[in-house]
Amino acid sequence: MGENKKVSRRKFLVRGAVGTAGVLAVGTYLFRNPIRRQILAYANSADSPYMGSGVEPLLWFELTSANKIRLYSPKVEMGQGTFTGMAQLAADELEVPIAMIKVVHAPSITGNIDSFATGGSTSIASLWMPLRELAATMREMILAAAVENLGVPKSDLKIKNGVIKVNGEQITFAELAEKISEWPEVDTPELKKISDYKIIGKSVPRVDLDDKVFGAPIFGMDVDIPNMVYGAVVRPEHIGATFITADVSKAQNMPGVLKIVEEEDFVGVIAKSFIEAENAKHAIKVTWDAPTNLQLADIENKMKVGNGKPTIIQKNGAEISDPEVQMEFTTPIGAHAQIEPNGVVANVTEEGATLYLSTQVVAITQKEVAKRLELDTEKVNIVPTFLGGGFGRRLHTPHAMQAAVMSKAVGKPVKYFFSRKEEFQHDMFRPPTHHVLKANLTDDGNIAHLQHDFSSGDVAIDSALLPSALNSFLGADVGAIRGGFCQYLNIPKIRTTSWHVELPFATSWWRSLGLLANTFAWESFMDVLAEKAGKNPVDFRLAHIQNDKSGERLCNVIKTAAEKAGYQDTVINGKAMGFAASTDAGTPCAQVVELSIVENQIKIHKVTCVLDPGLAVNPDQVRAQCEGAIIMGISASVFEKMTVKDGQLNPTIYGPYQMALLKHAPKEIEVILLQGRETPGPVGEPPLGPIGAAIANAVYRITNKRLTSMPFQEALQNM
Amino acid sequence: MTINFTLNGSAETVTLSDDMTPLLWVIRDILGQKGTKFGCGKAACGACTIHVNGEAVRSCSYPIKFAEGKKVVTIEGLGTLDNPHPVQQAWVEKVVPQCGYCQPGFMMATAALLEKIPNPTDEDIDKNIINICRCGTYYRMRKAIQRAAEIKANELIETSKTS
Ligand code: FES
Ligand code: FES
């Protein structure tokens, strides 16, 4: 290879055949995008970039002797279908059938881990360019190797269906790999035209479908390794409790107990079985300094707009001093309630540490463990597993560090996971919010001046997830302001202020972040104003959308939703429709809910959802994400609520923490996908925006009363 | 104490100091079958649903001592890739799972329901399938349950034809 050979945009590591396995490993360094772009990306607009770990080289593909291609994913699969989308992107450029590709989680030793996280609906959007380029490059490497080895010109070669065709003969990738010791280096080729793709854009079944239907042990909770024992950690029951002392004398002598670990920041017990570890944990008497007077009302008072630190995020108008219309809305504390509890298997030996877990933050977990054990980062291998739900909950994994400490202390692998009570008490909750909206109308019934002040606890602020430069937008919390920007830019004067309130318990990222709460407030208020103006809610919205590209996409989802659902603002046979729309991270979405109220219970019959995610890599999976988001949104807005009593967060079990069940899900969900741009955009969170407001707007039609607080079922009872 | 039962057709004998140990942990940690999931440990989510003598049971709250002499079936014993249970076939056709963690429990609950009510109405489904899915796959689940009933009915017709 010539020294002065033009270096391609991406630099590759090429390894020859390894052993008999015939491994072709493709790795790359990726550009780091300028910080500037990332701030914007997280703020509300563009797609978040893929950020490489900086470890060199990053392993992406492996060719196995069975002629399968292993694709190491820097993103984790938590149900959102990312593995399937990735397999599609790669298969199309590699010219192989999708069944030839096996997507696996990249362990951190491969270096191919995202230094941020999996979250924010960014996975496929951010991998769209790099993954196709890598796959195309691998294809060219294989072709170049075939030219060298078979001694035929490239024009005689063709890759089809995963084999190399040459003059009527054929050879598989694996057979070729066995013949060569060194893979040729090639430049990144041109990508195929989007219109030439055969797999991208198709509704292929999920690649993890069989594993999930036949009960394969793929989750963090399912990891077993030889000699494994079980750990448990004592946790306080009260908010803000600080540890004083622990009496472990009784626990020490309980059956199965191997060791008690007393650290400065936690007390753990290690036993032979899970049940024995749990029993011993309950026998440890800990003295906490715990305030017991905190009540929900204290939190609600604290949350009031005006109490925290304000940041104006949208301003082309003054404060409204004498509003014609004014309303307030609130949303409660929400729990993640993912079904697989947080857990980990840690194996710390002389050589280093290996941890298996469901996590959205591989790189951060690796650093936390390395720091605590005083190991070099490379000595800590994080092996991500499939997640039994993420929703933002697994952006925080201090239990990994605790398990590592316990494993080191006992000299064995330790498995440790949360009880359901611990999941509820120690969640990193969706913060409660409070919204004040004010408006003045023009004489002809348009909005002249609109103001929204909303307060929220931490979402991104103080989170370890983003470099500190990234978690604020002009000082506002980038998570809390998701959905906080007014999307009707034709309104002459708009003023939006985000108020940041510090809460005594941890709050963080919950699928769609501030979008659920902010859209509930914005879009309920739009219906209020439409009524005041004497206009149809759909026409009223359309009249306030600006004339540009994003305005056009928003208009299209709104018009299509109204048309497909046959939207009308009258009640027919006890059934009413509610309309709402939102724009999240560049993806507009409009929804029409059809519901009735039976024995004072909200009964949702149908939801029509129109989403414009740009190019849908897998339309069926985009639909699945919409259906899931709609049902999760129904659950959160109609049923769910955490409360605080005498210093404790409650409830601590499903049931009392009421969630939507199968019977609450609409029997009809119609999802229509528009494509207002060429490339894929965010999908997993945007459809959580409109659902709350759409329900509230429909309930208003029937009851003539406005739901101004979530959960709606409780608000309805109190009306 | 020693307890004998069958798990997915094979005879098992386990010895435990605590005969109140939930069956879930015996299946997962002693017998190593991980398809049955832990979600809450309090019979509140259904992730751990299995069949004991054909009945849907939440195994996290089922003491091992009650399993003596009984037939226990888990997702691993419901069907295989080559020979799927109608419920699994329907689940594949309708592409139900998202994260997948709750799904074995739902499939086991559905399989037990179809044994009792081969052709369940929406009300039957609402009343009997009360597990929790956080990913919100309920919409496809209902379709899959109805499809499973259809596949099962067709299988019955096929068998009665050939016999
Ligand atoms: S784990 Fe058994 S019902 Fe939740
Ligand atoms: S598929 Fe994730 S909880 Fe049901």
Side-chain angles (χ1 to χ4, degrees), chain A residues 339 420 653-654, chain B residues 24-25 36-49 57-62 101 131-132:
Chain A
I339 314 286
R420 186 48 57 181
I653 186 73
Y654 297 118
Chain B
L24 171 67
W25 300 116
T36 309
K37 303 303 182 196
F38 168 76
C40 68
K42 298 260 193 260
C45 73
C48 62
T49 307
V57 157
R58 293 189 165 179
S59 62
C60 69
S61 305
Y62 189 92
Y101 195 79
N131 293 2
I132 298 175

PDB file of all heavy atoms in Angstrom, chain A residues 339 420 653-654, chain B residues 24-25 36-49 57-62 101 131-132, ligand 1:
ATOM      1  N   ILE A 339     -40.673  -3.624  32.223  1.00  0.00           N
ATOM      2  CA  ILE A 339     -40.955  -4.881  32.930  1.00  0.00           C
ATOM      3  C   ILE A 339     -39.679  -5.599  33.399  1.00  0.00           C
ATOM      4  O   ILE A 339     -39.667  -6.203  34.457  1.00  0.00           O
ATOM      5  CB  ILE A 339     -41.829  -5.832  32.070  1.00  0.00           C
ATOM      6  CG1 ILE A 339     -43.010  -5.084  31.444  1.00  0.00           C
ATOM      7  CG2 ILE A 339     -42.342  -7.000  32.906  1.00  0.00           C
ATOM      8  CD1 ILE A 339     -44.129  -4.704  32.351  1.00  0.00           C
ATOM      9  N   ARG A 420     -39.152  -5.112  42.505  1.00  0.00           N
ATOM     10  CA  ARG A 420     -40.089  -4.177  41.877  1.00  0.00           C
ATOM     11  C   ARG A 420     -40.299  -2.940  42.754  1.00  0.00           C
ATOM     12  O   ARG A 420     -40.435  -1.827  42.265  1.00  0.00           O
ATOM     13  CB  ARG A 420     -41.421  -4.877  41.577  1.00  0.00           C
ATOM     14  CG  ARG A 420     -42.416  -4.058  40.802  1.00  0.00           C
ATOM     15  CD  ARG A 420     -41.870  -3.352  39.574  1.00  0.00           C
ATOM     16  NE  ARG A 420     -41.235  -4.211  38.593  1.00  0.00           N
ATOM     17  CZ  ARG A 420     -40.679  -3.772  37.467  1.00  0.00           C
ATOM     18  NH1 ARG A 420     -40.688  -2.477  37.179  1.00  0.00           N
ATOM     19  NH2 ARG A 420     -40.093  -4.601  36.638  1.00  0.00           N
ATOM     20  N   ILE A 653     -45.838  -0.887  43.379  1.00  0.00           N
ATOM     21  CA  ILE A 653     -46.148  -2.120  42.657  1.00  0.00           C
ATOM     22  C   ILE A 653     -47.156  -1.814  41.545  1.00  0.00           C
ATOM     23  O   ILE A 653     -47.933  -0.863  41.656  1.00  0.00           O
ATOM     24  CB  ILE A 653     -46.684  -3.219  43.628  1.00  0.00           C
ATOM     25  CG1 ILE A 653     -46.891  -4.570  42.932  1.00  0.00           C
ATOM     26  CG2 ILE A 653     -47.960  -2.767  44.304  1.00  0.00           C
ATOM     27  CD1 ILE A 653     -45.632  -5.309  42.588  1.00  0.00           C
ATOM     28  N   TYR A 654     -47.089  -2.617  40.472  1.00  0.00           N
ATOM     29  CA  TYR A 654     -48.087  -2.504  39.397  1.00  0.00           C
ATOM     30  C   TYR A 654     -49.462  -2.747  40.004  1.00  0.00           C
ATOM     31  O   TYR A 654     -49.602  -3.512  40.954  1.00  0.00           O
ATOM     32  CB  TYR A 654     -47.855  -3.577  38.326  1.00  0.00           C
ATOM     33  CG  TYR A 654     -46.539  -3.493  37.596  1.00  0.00           C
ATOM     34  CD1 TYR A 654     -45.617  -4.534  37.674  1.00  0.00           C
ATOM     35  CD2 TYR A 654     -46.224  -2.407  36.798  1.00  0.00           C
ATOM     36  CE1 TYR A 654     -44.415  -4.481  36.983  1.00  0.00           C
ATOM     37  CE2 TYR A 654     -45.030  -2.349  36.106  1.00  0.00           C
ATOM     38  CZ  TYR A 654     -44.130  -3.386  36.198  1.00  0.00           C
ATOM     39  OH  TYR A 654     -42.948  -3.342  35.512  1.00  0.00           O
TER      40      TYR A 654
ATOM     41  N   LEU B  24     -40.926 -19.987  40.060  1.00  0.00           N
ATOM     42  CA  LEU B  24     -40.186 -19.190  39.075  1.00  0.00           C
ATOM     43  C   LEU B  24     -38.676 -19.355  39.226  1.00  0.00           C
ATOM     44  O   LEU B  24     -37.951 -19.555  38.258  1.00  0.00           O
ATOM     45  CB  LEU B  24     -40.561 -17.708  39.227  1.00  0.00           C
ATOM     46  CG  LEU B  24     -39.712 -16.709  38.421  1.00  0.00           C
ATOM     47  CD1 LEU B  24     -39.948 -16.875  36.930  1.00  0.00           C
ATOM     48  CD2 LEU B  24     -40.026 -15.276  38.847  1.00  0.00           C
ATOM     49  N   TRP B  25     -38.199 -19.243  40.472  1.00  0.00           N
ATOM     50  CA  TRP B  25     -36.745 -19.281  40.690  1.00  0.00           C
ATOM     51  C   TRP B  25     -36.192 -20.686  40.524  1.00  0.00           C
ATOM     52  O   TRP B  25     -35.039 -20.876  40.153  1.00  0.00           O
ATOM     53  CB  TRP B  25     -36.392 -18.677  42.059  1.00  0.00           C
ATOM     54  CG  TRP B  25     -36.844 -17.253  42.116  1.00  0.00           C
ATOM     55  CD1 TRP B  25     -37.791 -16.729  42.936  1.00  0.00           C
ATOM     56  CD2 TRP B  25     -36.422 -16.186  41.250  1.00  0.00           C
ATOM     57  NE1 TRP B  25     -37.974 -15.395  42.658  1.00  0.00           N
ATOM     58  CE2 TRP B  25     -37.156 -15.038  41.623  1.00  0.00           C
ATOM     59  CE3 TRP B  25     -35.506 -16.079  40.196  1.00  0.00           C
ATOM     60  CZ2 TRP B  25     -36.988 -13.805  40.992  1.00  0.00           C
ATOM     61  CZ3 TRP B  25     -35.347 -14.855  39.564  1.00  0.00           C
ATOM     62  CH2 TRP B  25     -36.084 -13.740  39.962  1.00  0.00           C
ATOM     63  N   THR B  36     -39.113 -17.959  31.111  1.00  0.00           N
ATOM     64  CA  THR B  36     -40.109 -17.441  32.055  1.00  0.00           C
ATOM     65  C   THR B  36     -39.491 -16.260  32.792  1.00  0.00           C
ATOM     66  O   THR B  36     -38.402 -16.383  33.343  1.00  0.00           O
ATOM     67  CB  THR B  36     -40.516 -18.541  33.050  1.00  0.00           C
ATOM     68  OG1 THR B  36     -40.875 -19.705  32.308  1.00  0.00           O
ATOM     69  CG2 THR B  36     -41.676 -18.098  33.917  1.00  0.00           C
ATOM     70  N   LYS B  37     -40.166 -15.124  32.776  1.00  0.00           N
ATOM     71  CA  LYS B  37     -39.522 -13.885  33.230  1.00  0.00           C
ATOM     72  C   LYS B  37     -39.947 -13.433  34.619  1.00  0.00           C
ATOM     73  O   LYS B  37     -41.066 -13.690  35.064  1.00  0.00           O
ATOM     74  CB  LYS B  37     -39.835 -12.754  32.245  1.00  0.00           C
ATOM     75  CG  LYS B  37     -39.424 -13.041  30.813  1.00  0.00           C
ATOM     76  CD  LYS B  37     -37.954 -13.362  30.679  1.00  0.00           C
ATOM     77  CE  LYS B  37     -37.547 -13.606  29.246  1.00  0.00           C
ATOM     78  NZ  LYS B  37     -36.252 -14.276  29.148  1.00  0.00           N
ATOM     79  N   PHE B  38     -39.058 -12.693  35.258  1.00  0.00           N
ATOM     80  CA  PHE B  38     -39.363 -12.024  36.519  1.00  0.00           C
ATOM     81  C   PHE B  38     -39.664 -10.558  36.232  1.00  0.00           C
ATOM     82  O   PHE B  38     -38.859  -9.870  35.605  1.00  0.00           O
ATOM     83  CB  PHE B  38     -38.165 -12.107  37.465  1.00  0.00           C
ATOM     84  CG  PHE B  38     -38.279 -11.203  38.668  1.00  0.00           C
ATOM     85  CD1 PHE B  38     -39.114 -11.523  39.732  1.00  0.00           C
ATOM     86  CD2 PHE B  38     -37.545 -10.019  38.750  1.00  0.00           C
ATOM     87  CE1 PHE B  38     -39.217 -10.684  40.844  1.00  0.00           C
ATOM     88  CE2 PHE B  38     -37.647  -9.172  39.856  1.00  0.00           C
ATOM     89  CZ  PHE B  38     -38.476  -9.517  40.911  1.00  0.00           C
ATOM     90  N   GLY B  39     -40.837 -10.103  36.676  1.00  0.00           N
ATOM     91  CA  GLY B  39     -41.156  -8.689  36.488  1.00  0.00           C
ATOM     92  C   GLY B  39     -41.425  -7.985  37.791  1.00  0.00           C
ATOM     93  O   GLY B  39     -41.032  -6.848  37.991  1.00  0.00           O
ATOM     94  N   CYS B  40     -42.131  -8.688  38.720  1.00  0.00           N
ATOM     95  CA  CYS B  40     -42.525  -7.999  39.943  1.00  0.00           C
ATOM     96  C   CYS B  40     -42.445  -8.873  41.186  1.00  0.00           C
ATOM     97  O   CYS B  40     -42.300  -8.375  42.281  1.00  0.00           O
ATOM     98  CB  CYS B  40     -43.949  -7.460  39.795  1.00  0.00           C
ATOM     99  SG  CYS B  40     -45.189  -8.772  39.728  1.00  0.00           S
ATOM    100  N   GLY B  41     -42.576 -10.183  41.010  1.00  0.00           N
ATOM    101  CA  GLY B  41     -42.507 -11.072  42.173  1.00  0.00           C
ATOM    102  C   GLY B  41     -43.740 -11.041  43.056  1.00  0.00           C
ATOM    103  O   GLY B  41     -43.751 -11.626  44.136  1.00  0.00           O
ATOM    104  N   LYS B  42     -44.778 -10.316  42.612  1.00  0.00           N
ATOM    105  CA  LYS B  42     -45.962 -10.164  43.468  1.00  0.00           C
ATOM    106  C   LYS B  42     -47.253 -10.479  42.717  1.00  0.00           C
ATOM    107  O   LYS B  42     -48.303  -9.930  43.034  1.00  0.00           O
ATOM    108  CB  LYS B  42     -46.042  -8.713  43.981  1.00  0.00           C
ATOM    109  CG  LYS B  42     -44.876  -8.281  44.840  1.00  0.00           C
ATOM    110  CD  LYS B  42     -45.255  -8.341  46.305  1.00  0.00           C
ATOM    111  CE  LYS B  42     -44.240  -7.622  47.172  1.00  0.00           C
ATOM    112  NZ  LYS B  42     -43.299  -8.515  47.828  1.00  0.00           N
ATOM    113  N   ALA B  43     -47.151 -11.293  41.698  1.00  0.00           N
ATOM    114  CA  ALA B  43     -48.335 -11.673  40.913  1.00  0.00           C
ATOM    115  C   ALA B  43     -49.054 -10.469  40.320  1.00  0.00           C
ATOM    116  O   ALA B  43     -50.259 -10.488  40.115  1.00  0.00           O
ATOM    117  CB  ALA B  43     -49.308 -12.512  41.759  1.00  0.00           C
ATOM    118  N   ALA B  44     -48.292  -9.403  40.024  1.00  0.00           N
ATOM    119  CA  ALA B  44     -48.936  -8.171  39.558  1.00  0.00           C
ATOM    120  C   ALA B  44     -48.712  -7.844  38.080  1.00  0.00           C
ATOM    121  O   ALA B  44     -49.365  -6.952  37.553  1.00  0.00           O
ATOM    122  CB  ALA B  44     -48.452  -6.990  40.412  1.00  0.00           C
ATOM    123  N   CYS B  45     -47.811  -8.557  37.393  1.00  0.00           N
ATOM    124  CA  CYS B  45     -47.534  -8.177  36.000  1.00  0.00           C
ATOM    125  C   CYS B  45     -47.751  -9.303  34.993  1.00  0.00           C
ATOM    126  O   CYS B  45     -48.010  -9.056  33.828  1.00  0.00           O
ATOM    127  CB  CYS B  45     -46.115  -7.637  35.864  1.00  0.00           C
ATOM    128  SG  CYS B  45     -44.814  -8.893  35.975  1.00  0.00           S
ATOM    129  N   GLY B  46     -47.602 -10.546  35.432  1.00  0.00           N
ATOM    130  CA  GLY B  46     -47.848 -11.682  34.543  1.00  0.00           C
ATOM    131  C   GLY B  46     -46.657 -12.125  33.707  1.00  0.00           C
ATOM    132  O   GLY B  46     -46.784 -13.058  32.908  1.00  0.00           O
ATOM    133  N   ALA B  47     -45.503 -11.492  33.865  1.00  0.00           N
ATOM    134  CA  ALA B  47     -44.328 -11.861  33.058  1.00  0.00           C
ATOM    135  C   ALA B  47     -43.891 -13.307  33.315  1.00  0.00           C
ATOM    136  O   ALA B  47     -43.250 -13.925  32.478  1.00  0.00           O
ATOM    137  CB  ALA B  47     -43.171 -10.914  33.354  1.00  0.00           C
ATOM    138  N   CYS B  48     -44.278 -13.837  34.473  1.00  0.00           N
ATOM    139  CA  CYS B  48     -43.808 -15.157  34.895  1.00  0.00           C
ATOM    140  C   CYS B  48     -44.850 -16.244  34.632  1.00  0.00           C
ATOM    141  O   CYS B  48     -44.726 -17.352  35.168  1.00  0.00           O
ATOM    142  CB  CYS B  48     -43.506 -15.116  36.385  1.00  0.00           C
ATOM    143  SG  CYS B  48     -45.001 -14.755  37.334  1.00  0.00           S
ATOM    144  N   THR B  49     -45.865 -15.946  33.831  1.00  0.00           N
ATOM    145  CA  THR B  49     -46.975 -16.888  33.633  1.00  0.00           C
ATOM    146  C   THR B  49     -46.512 -18.192  32.975  1.00  0.00           C
ATOM    147  O   THR B  49     -45.818 -18.171  31.957  1.00  0.00           O
ATOM    148  CB  THR B  49     -48.084 -16.244  32.777  1.00  0.00           C
ATOM    149  OG1 THR B  49     -48.448 -14.993  33.373  1.00  0.00           O
ATOM    150  CG2 THR B  49     -49.311 -17.152  32.678  1.00  0.00           C
ATOM    151  N   VAL B  57     -50.606 -19.932  35.553  1.00  0.00           N
ATOM    152  CA  VAL B  57     -50.225 -19.655  36.932  1.00  0.00           C
ATOM    153  C   VAL B  57     -49.101 -18.614  36.917  1.00  0.00           C
ATOM    154  O   VAL B  57     -48.235 -18.657  36.046  1.00  0.00           O
ATOM    155  CB  VAL B  57     -49.720 -20.975  37.584  1.00  0.00           C
ATOM    156  CG1 VAL B  57     -48.808 -20.707  38.761  1.00  0.00           C
ATOM    157  CG2 VAL B  57     -50.897 -21.850  37.990  1.00  0.00           C
ATOM    158  N   ARG B  58     -49.147 -17.677  37.857  1.00  0.00           N
ATOM    159  CA  ARG B  58     -48.054 -16.698  37.975  1.00  0.00           C
ATOM    160  C   ARG B  58     -46.990 -17.312  38.886  1.00  0.00           C
ATOM    161  O   ARG B  58     -47.148 -17.328  40.104  1.00  0.00           O
ATOM    162  CB  ARG B  58     -48.590 -15.366  38.475  1.00  0.00           C
ATOM    163  CG  ARG B  58     -49.498 -14.735  37.414  1.00  0.00           C
ATOM    164  CD  ARG B  58     -49.939 -13.334  37.681  1.00  0.00           C
ATOM    165  NE  ARG B  58     -50.492 -12.766  36.436  1.00  0.00           N
ATOM    166  CZ  ARG B  58     -50.986 -11.551  36.322  1.00  0.00           C
ATOM    167  NH1 ARG B  58     -51.019 -10.743  37.366  1.00  0.00           N
ATOM    168  NH2 ARG B  58     -51.457 -11.112  35.168  1.00  0.00           N
ATOM    169  N   SER B  59     -45.935 -17.802  38.264  1.00  0.00           N
ATOM    170  CA  SER B  59     -44.993 -18.668  38.984  1.00  0.00           C
ATOM    171  C   SER B  59     -44.179 -17.938  40.043  1.00  0.00           C
ATOM    172  O   SER B  59     -43.605 -18.569  40.919  1.00  0.00           O
ATOM    173  CB  SER B  59     -44.057 -19.364  37.995  1.00  0.00           C
ATOM    174  OG  SER B  59     -43.287 -18.406  37.288  1.00  0.00           O
ATOM    175  N   CYS B  60     -44.142 -16.588  39.994  1.00  0.00           N
ATOM    176  CA  CYS B  60     -43.382 -15.858  41.023  1.00  0.00           C
ATOM    177  C   CYS B  60     -44.051 -15.980  42.375  1.00  0.00           C
ATOM    178  O   CYS B  60     -43.443 -15.715  43.406  1.00  0.00           O
ATOM    179  CB  CYS B  60     -43.260 -14.385  40.655  1.00  0.00           C
ATOM    180  SG  CYS B  60     -44.818 -13.477  40.735  1.00  0.00           S
ATOM    181  N   SER B  61     -45.331 -16.342  42.378  1.00  0.00           N
ATOM    182  CA  SER B  61     -46.072 -16.394  43.630  1.00  0.00           C
ATOM    183  C   SER B  61     -46.639 -17.789  43.865  1.00  0.00           C
ATOM    184  O   SER B  61     -47.671 -17.949  44.512  1.00  0.00           O
ATOM    185  CB  SER B  61     -47.196 -15.348  43.601  1.00  0.00           C
ATOM    186  OG  SER B  61     -46.654 -14.087  43.316  1.00  0.00           O
ATOM    187  N   TYR B  62     -45.969 -18.783  43.290  1.00  0.00           N
ATOM    188  CA  TYR B  62     -46.430 -20.165  43.401  1.00  0.00           C
ATOM    189  C   TYR B  62     -45.344 -20.977  44.103  1.00  0.00           C
ATOM    190  O   TYR B  62     -44.321 -21.311  43.500  1.00  0.00           O
ATOM    191  CB  TYR B  62     -46.683 -20.715  41.998  1.00  0.00           C
ATOM    192  CG  TYR B  62     -47.362 -22.068  41.946  1.00  0.00           C
ATOM    193  CD1 TYR B  62     -48.754 -22.167  41.862  1.00  0.00           C
ATOM    194  CD2 TYR B  62     -46.611 -23.243  41.968  1.00  0.00           C
ATOM    195  CE1 TYR B  62     -49.378 -23.411  41.804  1.00  0.00           C
ATOM    196  CE2 TYR B  62     -47.233 -24.485  41.905  1.00  0.00           C
ATOM    197  CZ  TYR B  62     -48.614 -24.560  41.821  1.00  0.00           C
ATOM    198  OH  TYR B  62     -49.225 -25.780  41.769  1.00  0.00           O
ATOM    199  N   TYR B 101     -39.894  -8.726  26.439  1.00  0.00           N
ATOM    200  CA  TYR B 101     -39.731  -9.272  27.790  1.00  0.00           C
ATOM    201  C   TYR B 101     -41.041  -9.812  28.367  1.00  0.00           C
ATOM    202  O   TYR B 101     -41.055 -10.826  29.042  1.00  0.00           O
ATOM    203  CB  TYR B 101     -39.159  -8.188  28.715  1.00  0.00           C
ATOM    204  CG  TYR B 101     -38.630  -8.740  30.009  1.00  0.00           C
ATOM    205  CD1 TYR B 101     -37.383  -9.357  30.068  1.00  0.00           C
ATOM    206  CD2 TYR B 101     -39.363  -8.641  31.189  1.00  0.00           C
ATOM    207  CE1 TYR B 101     -36.885  -9.862  31.254  1.00  0.00           C
ATOM    208  CE2 TYR B 101     -38.864  -9.144  32.386  1.00  0.00           C
ATOM    209  CZ  TYR B 101     -37.628  -9.750  32.410  1.00  0.00           C
ATOM    210  OH  TYR B 101     -37.142 -10.256  33.589  1.00  0.00           O
ATOM    211  N   ASN B 131     -52.120  -9.303  31.773  1.00  0.00           N
ATOM    212  CA  ASN B 131     -50.698  -9.040  32.014  1.00  0.00           C
ATOM    213  C   ASN B 131     -50.378  -7.597  31.598  1.00  0.00           C
ATOM    214  O   ASN B 131     -51.201  -6.937  30.960  1.00  0.00           O
ATOM    215  CB  ASN B 131     -49.826  -9.995  31.189  1.00  0.00           C
ATOM    216  CG  ASN B 131     -49.953 -11.439  31.657  1.00  0.00           C
ATOM    217  OD1 ASN B 131     -50.716 -11.749  32.569  1.00  0.00           O
ATOM    218  ND2 ASN B 131     -49.211 -12.314  31.013  1.00  0.00           N
ATOM    219  N   ILE B 132     -49.157  -7.172  31.907  1.00  0.00           N
ATOM    220  CA  ILE B 132     -48.754  -5.806  31.542  1.00  0.00           C
ATOM    221  C   ILE B 132     -47.656  -5.826  30.478  1.00  0.00           C
ATOM    222  O   ILE B 132     -46.683  -6.563  30.605  1.00  0.00           O
ATOM    223  CB  ILE B 132     -48.258  -5.026  32.778  1.00  0.00           C
ATOM    224  CG1 ILE B 132     -49.400  -4.901  33.796  1.00  0.00           C
ATOM    225  CG2 ILE B 132     -47.756  -3.637  32.382  1.00  0.00           C
ATOM    226  CD1 ILE B 132     -48.978  -4.255  35.087  1.00  0.00           C
TER     227      ILE B 132
HETATM  228  S1  FES C   1     -43.250 -11.607  38.067  1.00  0.00           S
HETATM  229 FE1  FES C   1     -44.923 -12.851  38.494  1.00  0.00          FE
HETATM  230  S2  FES C   1     -46.582 -11.584  38.100  1.00  0.00           S
HETATM  231 FE2  FES C   1     -44.924 -10.240  37.899  1.00  0.00          FE
END
